[in-house]
Amino acid sequence: MKMLNIDGLLVYFPYDYIYPEQYSYMLELKRTLDAKGHGVLEMPSGTGKTISLLSLIVAYQKAFPLEVTKLIYCSRTVPEIEKVVEELRKLMEYYSKQTGESNNFLALALSSRKNLCIHPEVSALRFGKEVDGKCHTLTASYIRAQRHSDSSVPVCGFYEDFDAVGRQVPLPAGIYNLDDLKDFGKRKGWCPYYLARYSLLHANIVVYSYHYLLDPKIADLVSKELSKNSVVVFDEAHNIDNVCIDSMSVNISRRTLDRCQANVDTLQNTIQNIKETDANKLNMEYRRLVEGLKEANVARETDVYLANPVLPDEILRAEHFVRFLKRFLEYLKSRLRVHHVVQESTPQFLKDIFDKVCIDRKPLRFCAERLQSLLRTLEIADIADFSAITLISNFATLVSTYSQGFTIIIEPFEDRTPTIANPVLHFSCMDPSIAIKPVFQRFQSVIITSGTLSPLDIYPKILDFRPVTMASFTMTLARTCLCPLIVGRGNDQVALSSKFETREDFAVIRNYGNLLLEMSAVVPDGIVAFFTSYVYMENIVASWYEQGILENIQRNKLIFIETPDAAETSMALEKYQEACENGRGAILLSVARGKVSEGIDFVHHFGRAVIMFGVPYVYTQSRILKARLEYLRDQFQVKENDFLTFDAMRHAAQCVGRVIRGKTDYGLMIFADKRYARADKRGKLPRWIQEHITDGSLNLTVDEAVQLSKHFLRQMAQPFRQEDQLGLSLLTLEQLESEEMLRKISQIAHQS
Amino acid sequence: MASLSEEVLLVLKKVRQRKQDGTLYLMAERIAWGPEGKDRFSVSHLYADIRCQKISPDGKSKIQLQLVLHTGDSTTFHFSNDSTALKDRDAAKELLQQLLPKFKKKANKELEEKNRMLQEDPVLFQLYKDLVVSQVISTDEFWANRLGDTNNSDSSLSNNKQEVGISGAFLADIRPQTDGCNGLRYNLTPDIIESIFRTYPAVNQKYNENVPHELTEKEFWTRFFQSHYFHRDRINTGTQDIFSECGKQDEIGLKSMVVQGVKNPLVDLLSLEDKTLDEGYGVCTTMPSTSNRTVKDSSNSAIIKRFNHHSAMVLAAGSGKGETAGDPASETSCTDGNSRDSDFFQPPVKKVKLQEAIEYEDLKKEKKPKTIALNLKKSDRYAHGPVPLQSQHYSTSQDIINSLNYIRHEMVNYKPNLTQVLCSTTASSAIAALSPGGVLMQAATQQAINQMVPTDVQGELKHLYAAAGELLRHFWSCFPVTKMKSNLERFQVSKLCPFQEKVQRQYLSANLTGHLEQMLQTAYSKFHVWQTRRMLRKT
């Protein structure tokens, strides 16, 4: 396919054919960019969303280099990020092949130090936190200063080299995936992580994870200076509200406070020591801070950076600040000594803290910033040790900054174990728009897209923004390659449901087992089954084991089960794939909202059927959730039930959507709960799934479902050639340009 | 005694068979029983003929052992030595248990081998039909000759037979049955035992350690089924059983598998998240801490762990030594000198997986057949492989064109030498001699006879030739044996003569079997000469 004409924009598309929905998607995207507004676009997984996005935005950047200077592509997982960069590489290779010019774009992926570090000792560490901490001990400015006087202090050679020469020459144009960055770093002897961070500023395309933009703690460090004329894309954004909320919430347990106490003591001792030996240093810091205030004021007016703090007097001096922290800590300790649940708003909390220990709002607000400065001054290398005090100071800053959208809940014990005292203070964000607001305000276009975003209108509501385009695209299919079935009854007519009242019901559990057993005999290769929660799965597995159902299933397929341990689950997953690969066939029992349901695709034979046991409602008894629902109702007029159903259905859609990853793929989607038949549930499924649910498949028994599955699988097993798709779900350029086709395409996008 | 050279493995006295006292002998290849005071066996079975053995239940007053043959017959031995009857019986049982599977496999293997040979070789199959099915010679005679020389050449073939995987549900097949008095009975077959050993090497190890020094086999399995190891959902109550160690070993095995990590980065959940939230951040989703988990919870998670482990082990046992074949990462670690080569050509797993993940096969125009990357262990061997040493003489295209030109040139300049031609009569007779049927074309006429005979008769003749050839080969190879001649005669009567008659009925003139008869005749006369000579010598 040479060049597409998307509403006047010439777009290179690196494939010979195109799906109609891709064309339609690009049209909508172009409109959004033209209007310099935000968009919400839902397109089925496996229809080439990423390549459409990239093709159009790159073409737009080339056509209007001044209007769109940068593409910031945010995805969720590391493999996703790498996939995006590989697709981009493909596109760029196509560009240079077609135009004959060498590529002048700089595109790079950014990830945490753990994935980019090439220092032989540091990169050998297993956990991200350890890598970060170790890196810090080698690269902190005062360590490097010490190095000048004492050459035995170890530093990171890669960082030194980068710092010495790496900034002078910009990274040459090209596509840099994580491994490419590492290779480049090794060749030059430069630190890839800092190189990538530095190169963000002049790169044309940046691919990284959500946190670099949404988590204020990291965004401040990394993404502060990105240009305003950037286009931001949030891919796989169906969970974006939860990411926002997570990044703003804090939990404080008694253990945190204990460790915090130790931190404060260390700080005090260090300050005391320094005072005796080198009082000058503290004075220097003091002076620097005072001067910094002036600079901050200037910077704020230019509006380029996010806000810089103006430190109040109470915490300007180091020893004052530590005393202040101590007081705050004592207050928190007293609050945790409760015997009943307390819930209050942030203003209430601030008032209480002022009444009890005379701490004002203003000094609290700059706690985080002041602590960072102090840690630098005191030359504390291992900041990982100070995570507890950092947490507290972050909490202080957050609680004093936002008067709305947060709630404080203090629980003296866990609900499940009321006898064991384990007080926790939850500082919980209820308004996802708080974290994402700066993004919407700052960048000219923000695209939120995913395979499952239904119902579309709820996202602008809960994220509080006004999109210029909202569209849901269907999947054009030459053959119906997905088969959603709602199994509402067992063969004995017992209603199947995971609802709370029948959760322990033996008849339901047995019928669920029967469904899995029958399916394991019919479906080839892999089956993935999702449960509503881990506890529920454990109970069902145990009871299936007692009833001998699992043994019977083992006659047909091997069984692998997700566990809370990620490493164990990874191994199970790999073995599962191996069993699918060598023809033995396997079943993976997994959990909705778990890691598997969010990040692993089951393409082709790795998943020929997904069974969703029950409706994956979130645990509704949690106080945090209740508070959030209340907030949503009051602020955004979203009814509790609507939100809960929406949340359950988006997770269900995510789970079943794992099985279809393209038009040549096929799979059964079995919803095993009679509640799915109701219009309010069904209506919240993505359109591309919804339109294949027939009236006849709304309340099937297990036997009926097996019959339908057999029929479906037999049909799908027939050879499927490219010619079958051509002209229907696959178009050549000529076909695309015909009037009739363009008319058809205009129906694919479903505006809401 | 029939064969004194046989090795006797076990002799048991006072064993009754059909109410007659006698002695039971277990020998290397057969089991035999002789009545007391006589030096011949009235019962003798090859182990290969025995399908299975059965023993009387423990509580019974009569202590018996029954052998069931493949033919369906059975023989029962009653151990009547009061003091040691049970011990005797068990000794016999144990020994049989070890011996029978060996012979069973051998018997099966032989049958399979024969079957395979017949299926693969249609000529042999036809021969088999002609000779054995029509009862010219017996099966054993037929194979005695065949297998001898095939065994050597095909031994390599039969050695690398495909290994059979393990059923995922082999434990489910051990259904406990109640024996009516508050007990459970498990039936184990050698297959299941092998499955257990292959899936749980730790159990195999225990078995080797404890059986038969510490425990009898039966006790071992009884303990196995009683152990919490088998019933993994039961929490270890602290009783010392030999399998608690197995559980630990499994745990270690599972852990090491987990620690090894996964090769495919796309399924590695650990490195999925780019930036995990630090402890304390995020909406609280505290998992119930392990300390206050109830007994039921931990038993549930034990079941889950067990299923994962079981499936992984079954999978590993199925795919050989736990190494997955065709996995690029594992293959690159070969140790021979030139292994670098293969490393070089294979892109790392991650790259491959990523490319696979972003590929839309239907968006591309031509689907080239997927080629397999050439995996060279020694590239120089590939480059300088063995080349057949031929005196190469190629005619270049230039040569061909030259010679063509030459011929054309010759033809252009051809002038018939009209003074030296044959006269017309000799010319016509020469033409007649060269036409089909002429003097010089005799060979063609014989072919014509072949063409006259319909194909089915031709086929039959071919089979006759093959059969006769086989028999004659046999005859000549073991010449002075009388039985062979009778075989030949039987063949002539039952096969050749009917064919002759049939042919004669249809084509009177065609003497198709002449040559066959001639061959047989030669054999007969040779035999006759030999016989007369022997008679002469005798007299």
Side-chain angles (χ1 to χ4, degrees):
Chain A
M1 191 146 300
K2 201 116 175 91
M3 234 187 274
L4 295 170
N5 183 347
I6 308 280
D7 197 16
L9 179 73
L10 292 180
V11 174
Y12 282 100
F13 190 72
Y15 288 100
D16 301 309
Y17 302 107
I18 187 169
Y19 297 139
E21 53 269 40
Q22 287 181 313
Y23 181 78
S24 178
Y25 187 86
M26 288 197 249
L27 273 179
E28 290 297 328
L29 193 58
K30 165 90 171 24
R31 266 174 223 155
T32 318
L33 296 188
D34 282 343
K36 293 197 180 5
H38 311 313
V40 181
L41 303 172
E42 175 185 71
M43 179 145 106
S45 43
T47 48
K49 197 179 345 127
T50 310
I51 193 67
S52 317
L53 263 169
L54 292 173
S55 303
L56 188 103
I57 297 179
V58 166
Y60 206 94
Q61 272 180 292
K62 295 219 173 198
F64 311 103
L66 292 177
E67 284 176 37
V68 174
T69 51
K70 197 189 282 285
L71 164 63
I72 304 172
Y73 196 111
C74 302
S75 199
R76 270 189 330 168
T77 63
V78 178
E80 290 289 339
I81 289 170
E82 293 189 292
K83 272 192 239 171
V84 172
V85 180
E86 287 309 314
E87 296 217 35
L88 188 61
R89 189 193 310 280
K90 193 172 205 163
L91 177 67
M92 286 309 181
E93 274 164 12
Y94 186 74
Y95 256 97
S96 42
K97 214 170 82 191
Q98 293 296 319
T99 57
E101 298 162 16
S102 64
N103 166 40
N104 56 357
F105 257 51
L106 174 64
L108 58 90
L110 176 66
S111 180
S112 56
R113 289 182 180 86
K114 183 180 159 242
N115 295 319
L116 280 174
C117 183
I118 53 173
H119 190 280
E121 284 165 38
V122 181
S123 59
L125 296 168
R126 273 193 75 185
F127 298 104
K129 224 177 176 180
E130 292 171 351
V131 176
D132 288 350
K134 185 84 182 154
C135 179
H136 191 257
T137 59
L138 294 176
T139 56
S141 53
Y142 59 88
I143 298 263
R144 299 177 55 225
Q146 280 174 17
R147 166 92 172 182
H148 283 299
S149 48
D150 176 9
S151 59
S152 68
V153 176
V155 292
C156 173
F158 296 104
Y159 181 74
E160 294 301 317
D161 286 358
F162 166 73
D163 197 47
V165 286
R167 281 184 240 269
Q168 288 154 14
V169 197
L171 193 64
I175 314 296
Y176 296 91
N177 211 338
L178 298 178
D179 287 338
D180 303 319
L181 281 170
K182 278 190 188 173
D183 283 347
F184 185 81
K186 272 180 198 154
R187 248 195 344 266
K188 295 270 185 181
W190 296 347
C191 172
Y193 175 73
Y194 283 101
L195 177 69
R197 260 179 63 175
Y198 173 71
S199 304
L200 282 190
L201 297 178
H202 58 268
N204 301 88
I205 300 169
V206 177
V207 187
Y208 57 28
S209 76
Y210 285 14
H211 302 282
Y212 290 105
L213 220 46
L214 292 182
D215 190 337
K217 301 181 283 291
I218 314 170
D220 217 29
L221 278 174
V222 179
S223 311
K224 198 154 73 168
E225 294 169 45
L226 294 181
S227 127
K228 288 179 94 165
N229 326 341
S230 305
V231 174
V232 177
V233 174
F234 288 107
D235 198 358
E236 305 284 326
H238 45 270
N239 258 345
I240 194 165
D241 53 324
N242 289 334
V243 178
C244 294
I245 282 178
D246 273 343
S247 69
M248 303 288 272
S249 300
V250 173
N251 303 300
I252 299 170
S253 66
R254 177 154 298 155
R255 207 167 71 93
T256 325
L257 292 182
D258 290 344
R259 279 169 49 213
C260 207
Q261 182 67 53
N263 289 162
V264 172
D265 293 345
T266 326
L267 282 181
Q268 203 162 22
N269 290 339
T270 326
I271 289 174
Q272 204 58 45
N273 283 345
I274 289 183
K275 238 182 178 173
E276 285 158 12
T277 57
D278 191 4
N280 204 20
K281 198 183 236 169
L282 287 175
N283 283 329
M284 285 270 285
E285 187 208 19
Y286 174 71
R287 227 171 295 139
R288 205 177 60 230
L289 284 173
V290 174
E291 274 164 26
L293 298 185
K294 282 184 200 141
E295 275 171 39
N297 269 332
V298 176
R300 259 216 299 195
E301 262 132 45
T302 59
D303 186 39
V304 185
Y305 305 140
L306 303 172
N308 225 344
V310 183
L311 296 182
D313 290 339
E314 290 101 313
I315 55 174
L316 216 43
R317 289 244 174 228
E319 52 273 48
H320 293 177
F321 177 61
V322 173
R323 231 169 286 147
F324 171 85
L325 276 180
K326 245 181 158 174
R327 211 157 14 121
F328 183 55
L329 189 58
E330 285 308 319
Y331 172 73
L332 287 179
K333 277 186 184 165
S334 75
R335 289 304 305 264
L336 279 190
R337 260 178 248 123
V338 286
H339 295 289
H340 53 94
V341 178
V342 178
Q343 178 171 2
E344 57 190 29
S345 64
T346 38
Q348 275 173 320
F349 182 83
L350 288 175
K351 184 172 182 309
D352 191 57
I353 197 170
F354 185 73
D355 290 349
K356 294 235 171 81
V357 287
C358 287
I359 287 182
D360 209 0
R361 183 166 157 261
K362 210 173 167 198
L364 269 182
R365 188 158 170 200
F366 300 112
C367 234
E369 196 83 6
R370 184 66 188 87
L371 181 72
Q372 289 312 313
S373 161
L374 183 66
L375 289 179
R376 266 197 304 276
T377 315
L378 298 181
E379 305 188 351
I380 285 160
D382 203 357
I383 45 167
D385 280 352
F386 285 81
S387 62
I389 190 86
T390 317
L391 180 79
I392 298 292
S393 65
N394 276 333
F395 164 65
T397 305
L398 284 172
V399 79
S400 50
T401 312
Y402 301 101
S403 56
Q404 256 211 337
F406 288 86
T407 188
I408 293 166
I409 297 171
I410 306 172
E411 286 178 325
F413 45 74
E414 276 174 35
D415 276 346
R416 288 171 51 136
T417 51
T419 48
I420 304 165
N422 180 21
V424 180
L425 183 149
H426 302 284
F427 175 68
S428 167
C429 174
M430 296 181 297
D431 188 350
S433 70
I434 292 173
I436 205 169
K437 186 168 259 156
V439 179
F440 280 125
Q441 281 176 349
R442 191 144 144 244
F443 299 106
Q444 65 177 30
S445 279
V446 178
I447 312 292
I448 289 187
T449 187
S450 173
T452 53
L453 280 178
S454 295
L456 287 179
D457 51 342
I458 204 159
Y459 284 91
K461 262 191 206 164
I462 57 177
L463 297 178
D464 193 22
F465 72 106
R466 295 278 299 274
V468 293
T469 45
M470 277 206 282
S472 168
F473 303 86
T474 55
M475 184 138 108
T476 53
L477 290 172
R479 59 166 189 179
T480 319
C481 68
L482 60 155
C483 177
L485 302 173
I486 297 175
V487 182
R489 295 167 290 150
N491 289 337
D492 48 4
Q493 303 300 325
V494 170
L496 293 182
S497 175
S498 70
K499 68 179 176 205
F500 190 71
E501 297 82 57
T502 60
R503 196 157 265 215
E504 308 278 315
D505 190 346
F506 247 36
V508 173
I509 294 178
R510 192 189 56 236
N511 273 311
Y512 273 158
N514 203 19
L515 173 64
L516 187 62
L517 175 60
E518 302 264 329
M519 280 299 164
S520 72
V522 177
V523 178
D525 300 323
I527 300 179
V528 192
F530 288 101
F531 294 85
T532 53
S533 75
Y534 192 76
V535 179
Y536 186 52
M537 176 171 84
E538 260 191 353
N539 287 337
I540 285 200
V541 165
S543 126
W544 282 352
Y545 174 73
E546 277 159 26
Q547 295 173 25
I549 292 174
L550 286 182
E551 287 183 345
N552 287 325
I553 292 173
Q554 276 183 319
R555 282 179 215 277
N556 301 325
K557 288 179 191 305
L558 293 178
I559 299 175
F560 293 97
I561 307 171
E562 181 176 357
T563 70
D565 181 65
E568 233 173 273
T569 309
S570 305
M571 193 223 38
L573 253 176
E574 196 180 47
K575 296 282 175 196
Y576 166 82
Q577 292 200 341
E578 197 184 315
C580 293
E581 199 78 73
N582 74 11
R584 198 184 257 277
I587 293 179
L588 183 72
L589 304 182
S590 180
V591 178
R593 297 164 194 277
K595 278 196 166 144
V596 172
S597 73
E598 293 285 330
I600 306 294
D601 290 343
F602 296 96
V603 287
H604 295 292
H605 58 286
F606 293 139
R608 285 301 182 208
V610 178
I611 306 174
M612 184 72 235
F613 290 113
V615 184
Y617 277 113
V618 68
Y619 175 60
T620 49
Q621 296 308 303
S622 127
R623 289 188 187 82
I624 301 171
L625 181 75
K626 279 183 181 157
R628 187 174 169 198
L629 289 175
E630 231 164 76
Y631 185 83
L632 281 172
R633 192 190 56 211
D634 296 347
Q635 296 295 317
F636 301 121
Q637 287 76 48
V638 179
K639 276 188 240 152
E640 284 111 323
N641 246 335
D642 277 355
F643 181 78
L644 286 174
T645 313
F646 149 76
D647 184 63
M649 291 314 286
R650 70 171 159 184
H651 280 104
Q654 263 305 299
C655 292
V656 296
R658 298 276 123 200
V659 78
I660 296 282
R661 275 330 198 213
K663 295 188 177 183
T664 52
D665 201 355
Y666 63 88
L668 286 159
M669 301 173 165
I670 297 169
F671 298 92
D673 194 310
K674 68 165 195 217
R675 290 175 290 174
Y676 283 111
R678 290 188 205 151
D680 67 316
K681 309 274 185 311
R682 207 161 21 112
K684 289 194 170 67
L685 284 173
R687 211 156 69 92
W688 58 278
I689 297 178
Q690 217 182 111
E691 65 186 5
H692 293 290
I693 302 180
T694 55
D695 285 342
S697 59
L698 283 183
N699 190 16
L700 302 167
T701 65
V702 171
D703 272 352
E704 286 162 352
V706 169
Q707 285 312 318
L708 285 173
S709 311
K710 270 188 189 162
H711 181 71
F712 170 77
L713 289 167
R714 229 171 269 149
Q715 265 183 334
M716 287 300 116
Q718 304 310 312
F720 184 57
R721 293 183 312 271
Q722 201 166 34
E723 297 87 77
D724 302 335
Q725 282 204 61
L726 216 57
L728 284 169
S729 56
L730 195 65
L731 305 175
T732 61
L733 188 58
E734 295 77 52
Q735 285 168 331
L736 184 63
E737 279 163 352
S738 74
E739 279 294 314
E740 190 197 358
M741 190 47 80
L742 288 176
R743 198 158 38 77
K744 263 194 203 163
I745 287 174
S746 64
Q747 290 164 6
I748 290 172
H750 185 269
Q751 313 278 345
S752 59
Chain B
M1 296 251 173
S3 51
L4 284 166
S5 57
E6 266 182 291
E7 186 192 357
V8 178
L9 301 173
L10 186 68
V11 180
L12 295 170
K13 295 213 164 142
K14 286 214 179 175
V15 178
R16 284 182 163 205
Q17 208 262 330
R18 299 200 182 196
K19 310 212 161 146
Q20 214 177 352
D21 273 321
T23 314
L24 186 69
Y25 298 87
L26 275 91
M27 276 159 297
E29 292 199 334
R30 59 185 185 137
I31 183 168
W33 180 85
E36 212 155 315
K38 308 225 173 86
D39 63 345
R40 58 171 184 80
F41 295 136
S42 55
V43 177
S44 165
H45 298 301
L46 287 174
Y47 291 136
D49 293 337
I50 299 171
R51 196 172 66 199
C52 64
Q53 58 165 335
K54 291 179 175 172
I55 53 169
S56 54
D58 277 349
K60 280 260 180 98
S61 56
K62 274 186 179 177
I63 295 162
Q64 289 177 320
L65 181 112
Q66 188 182 38
L67 300 176
V68 183
L69 305 185
H70 285 297
T71 50
D73 302 338
S74 64
T75 315
T76 311
F77 300 108
H78 177 198
F79 295 83
S80 55
N81 196 351
D82 295 329
S83 51
T84 60
L86 195 63
K87 226 176 76 192
D88 287 353
R89 201 269 314 267
D90 284 344
K93 187 200 84 179
E94 296 273 323
L95 194 59
L96 276 177
Q97 213 161 36
Q98 287 168 27
L99 289 168
L100 285 183
K102 270 192 246 166
F103 285 92
K104 193 183 252 170
K105 248 176 228 161
K106 199 174 156 201
N108 284 338
K109 227 165 81 183
E110 253 178 40
L111 258 178
E112 251 171 51
E113 178 71 5
K114 284 174 186 170
N115 209 353
R116 187 186 64 79
M117 278 171 71
L118 286 181
Q119 270 173 2
E120 281 176 3
D121 190 351
V123 180
L124 192 72
F125 187 51
Q126 185 61 44
L127 208 59
Y128 186 81
K129 274 204 291 196
D130 286 341
L131 296 180
V132 179
V133 177
S134 59
Q135 297 192 323
V136 174
I137 58 175
S138 73
T139 337
D140 288 345
E141 271 180 283
F142 182 79
W143 288 115
N145 208 332
R146 281 284 136 198
L147 283 175
D149 49 52
T150 50
N151 263 0
N152 299 331
S153 58
D154 283 355
S155 60
S156 59
L157 247 176
S158 53
N159 268 349
N160 55 23
K161 70 180 169 85
Q162 199 179 2
E163 207 163 307
V164 184
I166 295 173
S167 155
F170 68 83
L171 284 177
D173 292 332
I174 323 170
R175 287 244 155 264
Q177 297 162 339
T178 46
D179 61 356
C181 51
N182 250 348
L184 286 175
R185 248 179 43 194
Y186 291 89
N187 284 330
L188 279 173
T189 66
D191 280 347
I192 293 179
I193 292 177
E194 200 200 328
S195 298
I196 292 176
F197 284 165
R198 273 171 67 187
T199 317
Y200 299 108
V203 177
N204 194 6
Q205 199 192 336
K206 281 282 156 209
Y207 180 86
N208 291 337
E209 279 171 17
N210 289 314
V211 179
H213 325 297
E214 311 271 327
L215 300 166
T216 66
E217 189 171 7
K218 191 178 163 191
E219 276 172 348
F220 179 83
W221 290 116
T222 310
R223 288 208 192 174
F224 178 75
F225 289 119
Q226 283 168 347
S227 69
H228 87 281
Y229 182 69
F230 181 66
H231 301 278
R232 201 63 78 79
D233 54 327
R234 291 182 196 163
I235 290 306
N236 191 358
T237 44
T239 49
Q240 273 299 318
D241 78 83
I242 53 171
F243 294 103
S244 56
E245 211 174 297
C246 294
K248 271 177 213 145
Q249 277 188 21
D250 280 353
E251 205 117 290
I252 292 168
L254 189 66
K255 271 219 185 90
S256 76
M257 266 196 276
V258 169
V259 168
Q260 263 177 18
V262 288
K263 288 179 198 119
N264 181 355
L266 296 190
V267 299
D268 190 358
L269 295 171
L270 283 176
S271 61
L272 213 55
E273 293 270 340
D274 184 28
K275 195 95 188 172
T276 46
L277 289 165
D278 280 343
E279 193 185 349
Y281 296 97
V283 174
C284 186
T285 47
T286 42
M287 285 297 299
S289 49
T290 41
S291 56
N292 56 25
R293 301 199 69 179
T294 59
V295 174
K296 187 160 172 283
D297 283 344
S298 55
S299 99
N300 286 354
S301 70
I303 294 176
I304 286 177
K305 265 208 170 91
R306 179 184 172 194
F307 270 102
N308 278 341
H309 181 249
H310 175 81
S311 300
M313 291 309 287
V314 166
L315 199 60
S319 58
K321 292 149 199 92
E323 273 287 334
T324 45
D327 192 339
S330 63
E331 263 169 40
T332 48
S333 60
C334 57
T335 48
D336 64 331
N338 278 341
S339 65
R340 285 265 146 215
D341 274 1
S342 53
D343 281 5
F344 200 73
F345 289 119
Q346 264 158 352
V349 189
K350 187 173 167 186
K351 269 251 156 68
V352 176
K353 294 279 176 195
L354 275 180
Q355 285 302 330
E356 264 173 27
I358 64 161
E359 196 177 26
Y360 289 94
E361 52 188 8
D362 49 346
L363 283 180
K364 276 189 226 139
K365 190 159 244 160
E366 52 198 322
K367 286 185 208 161
K368 286 182 207 143
K370 272 195 181 162
T371 50
I372 298 162
L374 189 60
N375 185 8
L376 292 180
K377 302 251 153 127
K378 290 185 195 288
S379 60
D380 52 338
R381 200 191 276 174
Y382 178 73
H384 316 286
V387 182
L389 276 174
Q390 290 171 339
S391 55
Q392 283 158 343
H393 185 83
Y394 294 116
S395 32
T396 62
S397 45
Q398 193 55 47
D399 287 343
I400 294 169
I401 292 167
N402 286 347
S403 46
L404 197 68
N405 284 340
Y406 182 72
I407 292 172
R408 193 177 295 153
H409 178 76
E410 286 281 291
M411 288 309 289
V412 167
N413 296 334
Y414 172 70
K415 282 197 195 92
N417 196 351
L418 289 172
T419 52
Q420 289 183 347
V421 292
L422 292 171
C423 68
S424 57
T425 45
T426 28
S428 63
S429 74
I431 287 173
L434 282 169
S435 321
V439 187
L440 292 172
M441 300 296 277
Q442 276 300 337
T445 55
Q446 260 174 2
Q447 268 178 349
I449 291 173
N450 265 3
Q451 279 158 12
M452 277 155 56
V453 180
T455 39
D456 58 324
V457 180
Q458 272 182 50
E460 215 173 318
L461 186 65
K462 246 185 234 164
H463 292 153
L464 276 178
Y465 258 103
E470 176 63 22
L471 282 175
L472 284 166
R473 190 180 64 76
H474 216 150
F475 173 84
W476 289 114
S477 67
C478 51
F479 168 60
V481 177
T482 35
K483 191 159 179 289
M484 285 301 145
K485 184 176 174 258
S486 62
N487 275 350
L488 286 180
E489 279 165 355
R490 220 180 309 150
F491 175 75
Q492 196 170 17
V493 172
S494 67
K495 286 259 155 181
L496 196 57
C497 294
F499 180 71
Q500 248 169 335
E501 277 162 29
K502 187 177 156 197
V503 172
Q504 270 165 7
R505 245 181 286 134
Q506 293 174 13
Y507 318 96
L508 287 166
S509 60
N511 183 14
L512 296 175
T513 54
H515 180 240
L516 273 175
E517 276 169 11
Q518 209 180 332
M519 287 199 296
L520 288 176
Q521 215 53 58
T522 321
Y524 292 153
S525 57
K526 177 76 179 173
F527 186 75
H528 201 71
V529 170
W530 174 76
Q531 211 168 21
T532 45
R533 206 177 287 164
R534 203 169 68 144
M535 297 293 265
L536 280 176
R537 207 178 298 157
K538 267 190 181 171
T539 52

